């Protein structure tokens, strides 16, 4: 039962071990976001990009759902 809980949850790989419910941002979307942001900002580490994404989420009332990937990329880029 415990292993089912671990596999059904999506963990955002960030330094604060912030839990992201699966409905908020799926792995495919996260992968797309990271790929785009790493292409646009090759100088930024994965950790720095993740922190910027968390800031975007915080600035958007704690959620990313409802924002397009392009909108998230633009907002994250402004922070980076």
């Amino acid at each position: 039962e415990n292993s089912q809980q671990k596999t059904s949850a999506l963990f955002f790989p960030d330094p604060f071990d912030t839990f992201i419910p699966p409905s908020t941002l799926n792995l495919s979307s996260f992968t797309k976001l990271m790929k785009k942001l790493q292409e646009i900002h090759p100088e930024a580490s994965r950790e720095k990009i993740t922190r910027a994404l968390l800031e975007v989420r915080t600035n958007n009332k704690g959620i990313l759902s409802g924002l397009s990937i392009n909108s998230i990329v633009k907002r994250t880029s402004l922070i980076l």
Side-chain angles (χ1 to χ4, degrees), residues 2-13:
N2 193 16
S3 64
Q4 287 178 341
Q5 289 175 344
K6 288 180 184 176
T7 57
S8 66
L10 172 64
F11 287 93
F12 208 91

Side-chain angles (χ1 to χ4, degrees), residues 4-71:
Q4 287 178 341
Q5 289 175 344
K6 288 180 184 176
T7 57
S8 66
L10 172 64
F11 287 93
F12 208 91
D14 72 286
F16 307 109
D17 293 329
T18 302
F19 174 74
I20 306 284
S23 59
T24 303
L25 182 66
N26 65 42
L27 187 57
S28 175
S29 295
F30 177 76
T31 303
K32 287 177 188 177
L33 278 169
M34 287 303 292
K35 183 178 178 183
K36 281 188 177 189
L37 289 165
Q38 287 174 326
E39 288 172 0
I40 296 168
H41 304 282
E43 76 290 350
S45 68
R46 185 175 177 90
E47 181 180 323
K48 187 173 181 179
I49 293 170
T50 302
R51 285 184 184 171
L53 282 166
L54 287 171
E55 190 173 332
V56 169
R57 184 181 72 178
T58 299
N59 293 340
N60 194 54
K61 301 177 185 176
I63 58 172
L64 291 176
S65 60
L67 296 176
S68 68
I69 289 179
N70 286 336
S71 176

